[in-house]
Amino acid sequence: MITQPQNPSTRVLLFSLKGSIIPVIWRKVLFTTLLSSLVVATHGTLYHYKVTLTATPFTLWGLTLAIFLGFRNSAAYQRFWEARTLWGELIISARNLTRQVQQYFPQLDRDERLYLLQPLLAYPYALRNFLRGVIYENANRIADDEVRRHMASPALILNMLGKRVTEYARLSRLDPILLAQMDAQLNQLSQVHGGCERIKSTPIPYPYILMLHRIVHIYCFLLPFCLVDSIGWLTPVAVCILAYTFFGLDALGDQIADPFGTEPNDLPLDAMSRNIEIAVLEIIAEPLPPALQPEEGVLL
Amino acid sequence: MITQPQNPSTRVLLFSLKGSIIPVIWRKVLFTTLLSSLVVATHGTLYHYKVTLTATPFTLWGLTLAIFLGFRNSAAYQRFWEARTLWGELIISARNLTRQVQQYFPQLDRDERLYLLQPLLAYPYALRNFLRGVIYENANRIADDEVRRHMASPALILNMLGKRVTEYARLSRLDPILLAQMDAQLNQLSQVHGGCERIKSTPIPYPYILMLHRIVHIYCFLLPFCLVDSIGWLTPVAVCILAYTFFGLDALGDQIADPFGTEPNDLPLDAMSRNIEIAVLEIIAEPLPPALQPEEGVLL
Amino acid sequence: MITQPQNPSTRVLLFSLKGSIIPVIWRKVLFTTLLSSLVVATHGTLYHYKVTLTATPFTLWGLTLAIFLGFRNSAAYQRFWEARTLWGELIISARNLTRQVQQYFPQLDRDERLYLLQPLLAYPYALRNFLRGVIYENANRIADDEVRRHMASPALILNMLGKRVTEYARLSRLDPILLAQMDAQLNQLSQVHGGCERIKSTPIPYPYILMLHRIVHIYCFLLPFCLVDSIGWLTPVAVCILAYTFFGLDALGDQIADPFGTEPNDLPLDAMSRNIEIAVLEIIAEPLPPALQPEEGVLL
Amino acid sequence: MITQPQNPSTRVLLFSLKGSIIPVIWRKVLFTTLLSSLVVATHGTLYHYKVTLTATPFTLWGLTLAIFLGFRNSAAYQRFWEARTLWGELIISARNLTRQVQQYFPQLDRDERLYLLQPLLAYPYALRNFLRGVIYENANRIADDEVRRHMASPALILNMLGKRVTEYARLSRLDPILLAQMDAQLNQLSQVHGGCERIKSTPIPYPYILMLHRIVHIYCFLLPFCLVDSIGWLTPVAVCILAYTFFGLDALGDQIADPFGTEPNDLPLDAMSRNIEIAVLEIIAEPLPPALQPEEGVLL
Amino acid sequence: MITQPQNPSTRVLLFSLKGSIIPVIWRKVLFTTLLSSLVVATHGTLYHYKVTLTATPFTLWGLTLAIFLGFRNSAAYQRFWEARTLWGELIISARNLTRQVQQYFPQLDRDERLYLLQPLLAYPYALRNFLRGVIYENANRIADDEVRRHMASPALILNMLGKRVTEYARLSRLDPILLAQMDAQLNQLSQVHGGCERIKSTPIPYPYILMLHRIVHIYCFLLPFCLVDSIGWLTPVAVCILAYTFFGLDALGDQIADPFGTEPNDLPLDAMSRNIEIAVLEIIAEPLPPALQPEEGVLL
């Protein structure tokens, strides 16, 4: 996630490259601009054939383009926001479960409590590993060997948590209804796993992406022929601005729609895992690790 | 589901037919293009009568067309995504139930556990059979005769699961509150069944589809008369692009809105059923079957 | 509900009247078309005064028209889909309750089970009666006199179901927690009743409908004066197409927004009630009545 | 709520003032129309300075206007519909609670049952009083003095209901799980209170309203200068129609967004309170008061 | 939150600066207006080069601009409304919990009840402190030292509430199911914390903001070159109005999207915390502090 500067000046907003989508799309925008300069230089003729295009087809094409871009954009943002909401549920359930451990097992000593909560501390890291398809280093702080063996599978970690909770519930003769209350939090954690899995495994249907890319490219490549006669050497400027917004919206959609990667606009799974760890440790009054800080304005 | 290539090149995005909607609509697009060529060849006269159409009617028609296409497109995608979410609930509930079996019936041996979970393993396959209206081969791995007899009815499979759970709960004197927790997961599974049934049995109201088809066709067929005078032989090009986007959006909507079929853009019910099977078997530490792989870029 | 033909040919899609909204609106469309022919015949003069309208006002009016039509259309579809979802909950709760009866009251004989489930079988019919404001014939199959007396009030039927469930729960000393689980399903059934009641008793605010009708009519009546000078005798064609889409969208919205009636596009309450009956009977292994079939392509 | 006539004729739809928004906005529309007549009369000159405006600025302004109007309109309708849904929950919870009273306290005699349910019968009236900020007369039918003293505070009425339910639960040794089931309905009733409070206390942010009003006015006042040269004396007609739709949409949004007042388009809190009373009394087989009827087509 | 005057006159709506977004954007609007005056004064020439721009590029750019502005606006409002809804849940849960304390612990004396509810009274203030990143003065009324030490961490306050509730439940031998009911309200309070945290820590992706700012500025700066030839000295007027709506919509979005600050359009966290306090105290019949009043039309 790109961290937004507090009260950015107008200058930053207008000219900064940092946090902008430009690094991803400048090649395409430049190419389109050069192409349109070429069109102006040849006065819109192609092999001695004058290509005449009025604004009408562009207005009509714009109709579907608007539907496509609008749809794609909101679908992508919905995926992003749903993924964020799911990770938000993670911290809520983790806090609830820790609170319940404190309330219902007041007799536990520090070691037992940590043993019980180890899988909970590991769960977000395991989920991150699962979503990003890598086993990261920073899981090392988890002391529990049994937990560390399964850091690639959130379901197994959750299973372990369930076993430990049930075990302690039996030992301390917890009323089953309160065990059921804790079980509801485990289900919630499982819900997050399933939800993220769904977003990860089901992209926006591919033909939408294909079709959108095609219309955007055709639109930008043909546009100079329409503008050249009326605005002359301002054509490349106009096309450049349009290409910037079209390609930019398209590239942004691509990044936002798949929020579990490690691109700058993806969700900061590392930082959020750490925050969940901190939230749990705060409640049981353990020493807290520092929150992760953004590197060059990007939080991962 | 068409699996999206990782980082497709611009070339693939622009020219690939694989995963595109073109194979479905090329006939209509070609026909429309030829028709508009004919219009250009005859200079827009029909039986010696010069048909003059300005851009105004097209802009006005475009108004409702945009409403229709936009509405249809989001309604279709919502159906698709709701269906996917429902199947996502399936894997969540399956995992929860398996975890609960592990927690609450720790004394079960392997055979008993498998006997208990057989209907759960069969449930997604039964749901798939119900939704696609066929009994597929790969249900053969289900060893339990009683279950296999009902592979066409998710409700009966679920009923069986409920019976077995209640049976074991009685045998091991499970507290009713924990049985109720498991019952909640069965209700969740039933919810998925009911939800998919609803999507399958209630298409987008037919008159919308009819009206949309008609406006799109009329629009594409009349458009050349409007363009011929101003852009001449570029008319077929412009009409072809517009027809591609209109018919493409329309055909995509058709496929997405009914996501339980076996067309390339439908949900991969087979692969998802297998994944649920794997998720259950992983938790009870049984050998896992391989996940299904896409064939020619399509997962079914 | 109009049942959509499987893979309709392009011909059917373009020319079929069946399932189309045309029978409802042809009078208005014809009138508008004739009116615009008159305008062309008089060259746009009204009592010797030449009425000159450019495209500008129509574009500006089109702005609010688009907002109105788009809003109205999605509000109507949302009502339709919410109503369908509520009825979908009905089948889910009915199945859950039946499964619970099987699980928790295994000792019941066939007569007792049927006696217990009679109000559940009657509930969707009672709800349909309530929503359509009539007492239909096909409730006759309900054998239970007490139930039949209250076929006009879903609340009383549900009350009866609640009483019987509590009665049996007491007789068989069911744990209260499992009774509470069944009670949750009764609440769900009540939720459907309340939801449908809300949709039925609260239409889209009337002034929206009024204003939309007025703008659409004014738009269609004035349009010929704008087109006559530029496209001449094609004016009636253009106006006819526009009137078809405007009046059609409007009429469709009217039908969809109030989904409990007996117009072709309304929800098939009869067929759904029957399906719920079948779903319940399937689980308790009783003989099944046939599902209702569409008559002339319409399911009621 | 304005009750919609069944199958209104086209004539009613086009010319009726009843139920229309016209009485609210006719002053502004008339003023705008007169202003534009003045502009036409002076041929668009202002103090000997000819004001020339082309359609371009209006198209560009129209862009944000469309965003504003569309956003405002759906936000307003969502508030209206959420408020209606909350009141719909009220009737559902009231029915559930009454059914539970019947099921779980079968031994109560008529007086005890009425004593227990008095606060439930009073709750919607108290909520209405709270939302409209007045104490209405028709609460007089509530016989219970303790309840009547608190008719201005739904929270206290609900508290009283909770006390009575707990009291009777203790007396009849109800299993706590069933008491918890009833408590869930009380929470639901409290949810409605909180939800309505939120809608009432948080309007759509005021600057949106301000900005929308301003753009709409500027737009309508400047428009005649754009149209006068091309359509002459039809300008007032065109402006009048546009002003009608703009001001109408704006005024409608104002009424719909704040649905708890006593304007014609507000929710019929009185009628709904009465319906909830009827729903409760129906289940306990008490004599029913008549449902409220609309007065001059308006239900309050 | 800016409090909306009751029935503001048209004059207030048109000319009032209070509550308007103008104080935030007048610099930019003025700059843009001056710039366009300069363009008119030089007849659109830049260093002796006549810059000719037609309306076409602006219409095409307007396409993405509309998508961006529309998306941004609804995303911002959704965040605002979700934040408000979460705070609305706070008052609902607080009321429920207080009611449950009254029902389930009827034997508590006044001091015990206040001791038990202290963390609940402090919770909204702690949440506000957490969200605004400051420790405010008005928490002083909280008498309990243990609570006051943790006024910066809602999670710890909630933990304390959980401990006290469990403690009293043990003392008065409350049935665990009723304790579970109260626990559900604690989870709800935790849900609000997590939800607000999510909104606060995850802004709308920064590249959207960047890109939107850029297009809006480019659009407004280039527009005069397009208008100067057709409407002359009215150009600054037209540009000024457009800049007002564009910059205004943009600035409003900025304020609304981050609703926990202390800008005029942010949520009145102070007033809402006070209201929750009042709601709790009302139920336990304690003296009520006055509700907060808006200062100069703004509630914080």
Side-chain angles (χ1 to χ4, degrees), chain D residues 52 60 64 153 159 166 177 183 187 190 197 201-202 208 211 214, chain E residues 13 16 21 73 84 95-96 99-100 103-104 177 185 219 282:
Chain D
T52 320
L60 302 179
T64 33
S153 163
N159 206 28
T166 318
I177 186 79
D183 201 63
N187 289 345
S190 168
E197 214 172 348
S201 72
T202 314
Y208 277 109
M211 209 185 265
R214 287 171 185 179
Chain E
L13 284 174
S16 144
I21 199 75
N73 195 39
R84 180 63 189 88
R95 275 204 195 106
N96 284 343
R99 206 191 59 241
Q100 289 170 334
Q103 284 174 227
Y104 303 154
I177 188 80
Q185 300 302 322
Y219 202 95
E282 185 195 17

mmCIF file of all heavy atoms in Angstrom, chain D residues 52 60 64 153 159 166 177 183 187 190 197 201-202 208 211 214, chain E residues 13 16 21 73 84 95-96 99-100 103-104 177 185 219 282:
data_model
loop_
_atom_site.group_PDB
_atom_site.id
_atom_site.type_symbol
_atom_site.label_atom_id
_atom_site.label_comp_id
_atom_site.label_asym_id
_atom_site.label_seq_id
_atom_site.Cartn_x
_atom_site.Cartn_y
_atom_site.Cartn_z
ATOM 1 N N THR D 52 -23.341 35.601 -25.176
ATOM 2 C CA THR D 52 -23.316 34.448 -26.077
ATOM 3 C C THR D 52 -22.800 33.221 -25.350
ATOM 4 O O THR D 52 -21.675 33.219 -24.853
ATOM 5 C CB THR D 52 -22.372 34.708 -27.275
ATOM 6 O OG1 THR D 52 -22.537 36.047 -27.687
ATOM 7 C CG2 THR D 52 -22.644 33.736 -28.390
ATOM 8 N N LEU D 60 -20.332 20.308 -20.433
ATOM 9 C CA LEU D 60 -19.275 20.041 -19.454
ATOM 10 C C LEU D 60 -19.804 20.153 -18.023
ATOM 11 O O LEU D 60 -19.529 19.303 -17.179
ATOM 12 C CB LEU D 60 -18.101 20.989 -19.679
ATOM 13 C CG LEU D 60 -17.475 20.912 -21.075
ATOM 14 C CD1 LEU D 60 -16.334 21.902 -21.195
ATOM 15 C CD2 LEU D 60 -16.989 19.521 -21.399
ATOM 16 N N THR D 64 -20.602 17.071 -14.107
ATOM 17 C CA THR D 64 -20.632 17.011 -12.640
ATOM 18 C C THR D 64 -22.051 17.024 -12.117
ATOM 19 O O THR D 64 -22.357 16.396 -11.112
ATOM 20 C CB THR D 64 -19.891 18.198 -11.987
ATOM 21 O OG1 THR D 64 -20.047 19.343 -12.806
ATOM 22 C CG2 THR D 64 -18.430 17.868 -11.794
ATOM 23 N N SER D 153 -39.530 7.519 25.106
ATOM 24 C CA SER D 153 -38.202 6.915 25.053
ATOM 25 C C SER D 153 -38.269 5.423 24.730
ATOM 26 O O SER D 153 -38.559 4.605 25.594
ATOM 27 C CB SER D 153 -37.498 7.105 26.397
ATOM 28 O OG SER D 153 -36.415 6.212 26.490
ATOM 29 N N ASN D 159 -36.503 -1.578 27.826
ATOM 30 C CA ASN D 159 -35.978 -2.005 29.107
ATOM 31 C C ASN D 159 -37.083 -2.658 29.944
ATOM 32 O O ASN D 159 -36.886 -3.711 30.556
ATOM 33 C CB ASN D 159 -35.437 -0.772 29.836
ATOM 34 C CG ASN D 159 -34.377 -1.132 30.813
ATOM 35 O OD1 ASN D 159 -33.695 -2.127 30.610
ATOM 36 N ND2 ASN D 159 -34.236 -0.362 31.862
ATOM 37 N N THR D 166 -37.881 -11.273 31.594
ATOM 38 C CA THR D 166 -36.990 -11.978 32.529
ATOM 39 C C THR D 166 -37.764 -12.434 33.772
ATOM 40 O O THR D 166 -37.587 -13.549 34.271
ATOM 41 C CB THR D 166 -35.845 -11.044 32.967
ATOM 42 O OG1 THR D 166 -35.384 -10.317 31.834
ATOM 43 C CG2 THR D 166 -34.689 -11.831 33.542
ATOM 44 N N ILE D 177 -31.642 -20.810 27.823
ATOM 45 C CA ILE D 177 -31.380 -20.720 26.386
ATOM 46 C C ILE D 177 -32.583 -20.132 25.660
ATOM 47 O O ILE D 177 -32.434 -19.380 24.679
ATOM 48 C CB ILE D 177 -31.026 -22.108 25.816
ATOM 49 C CG1 ILE D 177 -30.602 -22.013 24.372
ATOM 50 C CG2 ILE D 177 -32.197 -23.071 25.894
ATOM 51 C CD1 ILE D 177 -29.230 -21.570 24.219
ATOM 52 N N ASP D 183 -34.250 -12.747 24.217
ATOM 53 C CA ASP D 183 -33.355 -11.602 24.334
ATOM 54 C C ASP D 183 -32.827 -11.169 22.968
ATOM 55 O O ASP D 183 -32.653 -9.977 22.695
ATOM 56 C CB ASP D 183 -32.188 -11.980 25.236
ATOM 57 C CG ASP D 183 -31.508 -10.766 25.813
ATOM 58 O OD1 ASP D 183 -32.179 -10.030 26.556
ATOM 59 O OD2 ASP D 183 -30.329 -10.538 25.502
ATOM 60 N N ASN D 187 -32.747 -7.447 21.333
ATOM 61 C CA ASN D 187 -31.608 -6.801 20.684
ATOM 62 C C ASN D 187 -31.980 -6.312 19.297
ATOM 63 O O ASN D 187 -31.561 -5.238 18.860
ATOM 64 C CB ASN D 187 -30.436 -7.771 20.580
ATOM 65 C CG ASN D 187 -29.800 -8.051 21.919
ATOM 66 O OD1 ASN D 187 -30.041 -7.323 22.875
ATOM 67 N ND2 ASN D 187 -29.015 -9.105 21.994
ATOM 68 N N SER D 190 -33.830 -3.176 19.534
ATOM 69 C CA SER D 190 -32.907 -2.095 19.867
ATOM 70 C C SER D 190 -32.111 -1.672 18.626
ATOM 71 O O SER D 190 -31.803 -0.489 18.426
ATOM 72 C CB SER D 190 -31.977 -2.595 20.967
ATOM 73 O OG SER D 190 -30.919 -1.741 21.159
ATOM 74 N N GLU D 197 -32.218 6.157 14.558
ATOM 75 C CA GLU D 197 -31.524 7.282 15.196
ATOM 76 C C GLU D 197 -30.375 7.774 14.295
ATOM 77 O O GLU D 197 -30.190 8.968 14.077
ATOM 78 C CB GLU D 197 -30.939 6.764 16.504
ATOM 79 C CG GLU D 197 -30.894 7.735 17.634
ATOM 80 C CD GLU D 197 -30.458 7.000 18.909
ATOM 81 O OE1 GLU D 197 -30.423 5.746 18.920
ATOM 82 O OE2 GLU D 197 -30.145 7.693 19.884
ATOM 83 N N SER D 201 -30.154 11.400 12.659
ATOM 84 C CA SER D 201 -29.189 12.377 13.168
ATOM 85 C C SER D 201 -28.060 12.679 12.180
ATOM 86 O O SER D 201 -27.294 13.606 12.395
ATOM 87 C CB SER D 201 -28.602 11.891 14.494
ATOM 88 O OG SER D 201 -27.726 10.818 14.267
ATOM 89 N N THR D 202 -27.927 11.905 11.104
ATOM 90 C CA THR D 202 -26.838 12.145 10.161
ATOM 91 C C THR D 202 -27.369 12.344 8.760
ATOM 92 O O THR D 202 -27.521 11.397 7.995
ATOM 93 C CB THR D 202 -25.846 10.960 10.157
ATOM 94 O OG1 THR D 202 -25.553 10.594 11.500
ATOM 95 C CG2 THR D 202 -24.563 11.343 9.447
ATOM 96 N N TYR D 208 -22.775 18.920 0.093
ATOM 97 C CA TYR D 208 -23.330 18.327 -1.122
ATOM 98 C C TYR D 208 -24.619 19.021 -1.509
ATOM 99 O O TYR D 208 -24.843 19.362 -2.671
ATOM 100 C CB TYR D 208 -23.660 16.849 -0.889
ATOM 101 C CG TYR D 208 -22.506 15.925 -1.048
ATOM 102 C CD1 TYR D 208 -21.938 15.299 0.048
ATOM 103 C CD2 TYR D 208 -21.981 15.644 -2.301
ATOM 104 C CE1 TYR D 208 -20.886 14.426 -0.081
ATOM 105 C CE2 TYR D 208 -20.927 14.769 -2.443
ATOM 106 C CZ TYR D 208 -20.375 14.162 -1.331
ATOM 107 O OH TYR D 208 -19.326 13.305 -1.472
ATOM 108 N N MET D 211 -23.943 22.601 -2.749
ATOM 109 C CA MET D 211 -23.328 22.659 -4.075
ATOM 110 C C MET D 211 -24.311 22.247 -5.157
ATOM 111 O O MET D 211 -24.392 22.873 -6.216
ATOM 112 C CB MET D 211 -22.115 21.739 -4.100
ATOM 113 C CG MET D 211 -21.075 22.232 -5.067
ATOM 114 S SD MET D 211 -19.721 21.084 -5.195
ATOM 115 C CE MET D 211 -18.595 21.776 -4.023
ATOM 116 N N ARG D 214 -26.742 24.993 -5.872
ATOM 117 C CA ARG D 214 -26.135 26.092 -6.622
ATOM 118 C C ARG D 214 -25.959 25.748 -8.092
ATOM 119 O O ARG D 214 -26.310 26.543 -8.973
ATOM 120 C CB ARG D 214 -24.788 26.443 -5.980
ATOM 121 C CG ARG D 214 -25.017 27.147 -4.667
ATOM 122 C CD ARG D 214 -23.767 27.343 -3.884
ATOM 123 N NE ARG D 214 -24.135 27.933 -2.589
ATOM 124 C CZ ARG D 214 -23.287 28.228 -1.635
ATOM 125 N NH1 ARG D 214 -21.991 28.004 -1.805
ATOM 126 N NH2 ARG D 214 -23.699 28.759 -0.511
ATOM 127 N N LEU E 13 -29.240 29.076 0.605
ATOM 128 C CA LEU E 13 -28.690 27.986 -0.212
ATOM 129 C C LEU E 13 -27.799 28.506 -1.327
ATOM 130 O O LEU E 13 -26.839 27.864 -1.716
ATOM 131 C CB LEU E 13 -29.831 27.159 -0.807
ATOM 132 C CG LEU E 13 -30.496 26.210 0.185
ATOM 133 C CD1 LEU E 13 -31.702 25.543 -0.451
ATOM 134 C CD2 LEU E 13 -29.509 25.153 0.654
ATOM 135 N N SER E 16 -24.850 31.569 0.968
ATOM 136 C CA SER E 16 -24.168 31.382 2.244
ATOM 137 C C SER E 16 -22.806 30.723 2.061
ATOM 138 O O SER E 16 -22.639 29.785 1.278
ATOM 139 C CB SER E 16 -25.050 30.522 3.156
ATOM 140 O OG SER E 16 -24.272 29.679 3.937
ATOM 141 N N ILE E 21 -18.157 24.464 0.861
ATOM 142 C CA ILE E 21 -16.791 23.984 0.670
ATOM 143 C C ILE E 21 -15.901 25.109 0.124
ATOM 144 O O ILE E 21 -14.685 24.971 0.015
ATOM 145 C CB ILE E 21 -16.798 22.748 -0.266
ATOM 146 C CG1 ILE E 21 -15.512 21.927 -0.148
ATOM 147 C CG2 ILE E 21 -17.039 23.149 -1.708
ATOM 148 C CD1 ILE E 21 -15.439 21.109 1.092
ATOM 149 N N ASN E 73 -16.319 9.664 -5.572
ATOM 150 C CA ASN E 73 -17.364 10.210 -4.749
ATOM 151 C C ASN E 73 -18.134 9.130 -4.006
ATOM 152 O O ASN E 73 -18.382 9.225 -2.804
ATOM 153 C CB ASN E 73 -18.329 11.009 -5.638
ATOM 154 C CG ASN E 73 -19.230 11.883 -4.837
ATOM 155 O OD1 ASN E 73 -18.796 12.473 -3.865
ATOM 156 N ND2 ASN E 73 -20.489 11.950 -5.224
ATOM 157 N N ARG E 84 -20.115 5.858 10.045
ATOM 158 C CA ARG E 84 -21.259 6.294 10.843
ATOM 159 C C ARG E 84 -22.061 5.099 11.343
ATOM 160 O O ARG E 84 -22.526 5.071 12.484
ATOM 161 C CB ARG E 84 -22.147 7.215 10.007
ATOM 162 C CG ARG E 84 -23.375 7.746 10.711
ATOM 163 C CD ARG E 84 -22.996 8.605 11.892
ATOM 164 N NE ARG E 84 -24.146 8.974 12.735
ATOM 165 C CZ ARG E 84 -24.594 8.241 13.730
ATOM 166 N NH1 ARG E 84 -24.028 7.081 14.018
ATOM 167 N NH2 ARG E 84 -25.618 8.650 14.452
ATOM 168 N N ARG E 95 -26.591 0.057 24.672
ATOM 169 C CA ARG E 95 -27.941 -0.058 25.227
ATOM 170 C C ARG E 95 -28.274 -1.508 25.562
ATOM 171 O O ARG E 95 -28.815 -1.800 26.624
ATOM 172 C CB ARG E 95 -28.961 0.462 24.220
ATOM 173 C CG ARG E 95 -29.170 1.945 24.283
ATOM 174 C CD ARG E 95 -30.557 2.308 23.719
ATOM 175 N NE ARG E 95 -30.599 3.741 23.452
ATOM 176 C CZ ARG E 95 -30.556 4.284 22.251
ATOM 177 N NH1 ARG E 95 -30.467 3.515 21.181
ATOM 178 N NH2 ARG E 95 -30.605 5.591 22.093
ATOM 179 N N ASN E 96 -27.938 -2.409 24.637
ATOM 180 C CA ASN E 96 -28.239 -3.815 24.883
ATOM 181 C C ASN E 96 -27.546 -4.311 26.143
ATOM 182 O O ASN E 96 -28.143 -4.991 26.966
ATOM 183 C CB ASN E 96 -27.789 -4.666 23.693
ATOM 184 C CG ASN E 96 -28.727 -4.538 22.511
ATOM 185 O OD1 ASN E 96 -29.857 -4.085 22.666
ATOM 186 N ND2 ASN E 96 -28.266 -4.923 21.342
ATOM 187 N N ARG E 99 -29.109 -2.938 29.247
ATOM 188 C CA ARG E 99 -30.377 -3.617 29.510
ATOM 189 C C ARG E 99 -30.138 -4.999 30.098
ATOM 190 O O ARG E 99 -30.823 -5.418 31.038
ATOM 191 C CB ARG E 99 -31.175 -3.738 28.216
ATOM 192 C CG ARG E 99 -32.671 -3.834 28.443
ATOM 193 C CD ARG E 99 -33.418 -4.223 27.198
ATOM 194 N NE ARG E 99 -32.953 -5.495 26.705
ATOM 195 C CZ ARG E 99 -32.408 -5.686 25.516
ATOM 196 N NH1 ARG E 99 -32.259 -4.683 24.691
ATOM 197 N NH2 ARG E 99 -32.006 -6.885 25.151
ATOM 198 N N GLN E 100 -29.156 -5.700 29.538
ATOM 199 C CA GLN E 100 -28.874 -7.037 30.040
ATOM 200 C C GLN E 100 -28.365 -6.991 31.474
ATOM 201 O O GLN E 100 -28.717 -7.845 32.291
ATOM 202 C CB GLN E 100 -27.862 -7.724 29.122
ATOM 203 C CG GLN E 100 -28.488 -8.089 27.773
ATOM 204 C CD GLN E 100 -27.473 -8.551 26.763
ATOM 205 O OE1 GLN E 100 -26.304 -8.188 26.821
ATOM 206 N NE2 GLN E 100 -27.908 -9.350 25.814
ATOM 207 N N GLN E 103 -31.360 -6.666 33.554
ATOM 208 C CA GLN E 103 -32.190 -7.855 33.602
ATOM 209 C C GLN E 103 -31.521 -8.993 34.380
ATOM 210 O O GLN E 103 -32.177 -9.680 35.152
ATOM 211 C CB GLN E 103 -32.460 -8.369 32.175
ATOM 212 C CG GLN E 103 -33.484 -7.569 31.397
ATOM 213 C CD GLN E 103 -33.595 -8.039 29.959
ATOM 214 O OE1 GLN E 103 -33.588 -7.241 29.049
ATOM 215 N NE2 GLN E 103 -33.662 -9.338 29.735
ATOM 216 N N TYR E 104 -30.238 -9.203 34.139
ATOM 217 C CA TYR E 104 -29.584 -10.404 34.654
ATOM 218 C C TYR E 104 -28.944 -10.189 36.012
ATOM 219 O O TYR E 104 -28.686 -11.142 36.732
ATOM 220 C CB TYR E 104 -28.533 -10.906 33.668
ATOM 221 C CG TYR E 104 -29.064 -11.200 32.304
ATOM 222 C CD1 TYR E 104 -28.243 -11.140 31.189
ATOM 223 C CD2 TYR E 104 -30.413 -11.532 32.108
ATOM 224 C CE1 TYR E 104 -28.735 -11.399 29.929
ATOM 225 C CE2 TYR E 104 -30.910 -11.780 30.854
ATOM 226 C CZ TYR E 104 -30.069 -11.704 29.762
ATOM 227 O OH TYR E 104 -30.547 -11.955 28.522
ATOM 228 N N ILE E 177 -25.224 -19.303 29.465
ATOM 229 C CA ILE E 177 -25.823 -18.878 28.202
ATOM 230 C C ILE E 177 -26.113 -17.389 28.212
ATOM 231 O O ILE E 177 -25.986 -16.708 27.188
ATOM 232 C CB ILE E 177 -27.112 -19.683 27.931
ATOM 233 C CG1 ILE E 177 -27.656 -19.404 26.545
ATOM 234 C CG2 ILE E 177 -28.207 -19.360 28.945
ATOM 235 C CD1 ILE E 177 -26.943 -20.147 25.519
ATOM 236 N N GLN E 185 -22.367 -9.044 22.844
ATOM 237 C CA GLN E 185 -22.342 -7.586 22.744
ATOM 238 C C GLN E 185 -20.913 -7.056 22.814
ATOM 239 O O GLN E 185 -20.565 -6.089 22.130
ATOM 240 C CB GLN E 185 -23.195 -6.947 23.853
ATOM 241 C CG GLN E 185 -24.656 -7.350 23.820
ATOM 242 C CD GLN E 185 -25.324 -7.018 22.501
ATOM 243 O OE1 GLN E 185 -25.051 -5.985 21.900
ATOM 244 N NE2 GLN E 185 -26.164 -7.909 22.015
ATOM 245 N N TYR E 219 -7.629 19.643 -17.064
ATOM 246 C CA TYR E 219 -8.909 19.968 -17.681
ATOM 247 C C TYR E 219 -9.235 21.453 -17.509
ATOM 248 O O TYR E 219 -9.548 22.159 -18.480
ATOM 249 C CB TYR E 219 -9.984 19.121 -17.015
ATOM 250 C CG TYR E 219 -11.228 18.932 -17.810
ATOM 251 C CD1 TYR E 219 -11.406 17.799 -18.603
ATOM 252 C CD2 TYR E 219 -12.266 19.845 -17.757
ATOM 253 C CE1 TYR E 219 -12.564 17.596 -19.314
ATOM 254 C CE2 TYR E 219 -13.430 19.657 -18.474
ATOM 255 C CZ TYR E 219 -13.577 18.530 -19.248
ATOM 256 O OH TYR E 219 -14.725 18.344 -19.965
ATOM 257 N N GLU E 282 -29.352 6.847 30.900
ATOM 258 C CA GLU E 282 -30.808 6.919 30.901
ATOM 259 C C GLU E 282 -31.415 5.605 31.387
ATOM 260 O O GLU E 282 -32.354 5.600 32.187
ATOM 261 C CB GLU E 282 -31.317 7.225 29.482
ATOM 262 C CG GLU E 282 -32.829 7.438 29.422
ATOM 263 C CD GLU E 282 -33.356 7.373 27.988
ATOM 264 O OE1 GLU E 282 -32.637 6.856 27.108
ATOM 265 O OE2 GLU E 282 -34.484 7.827 27.763
#
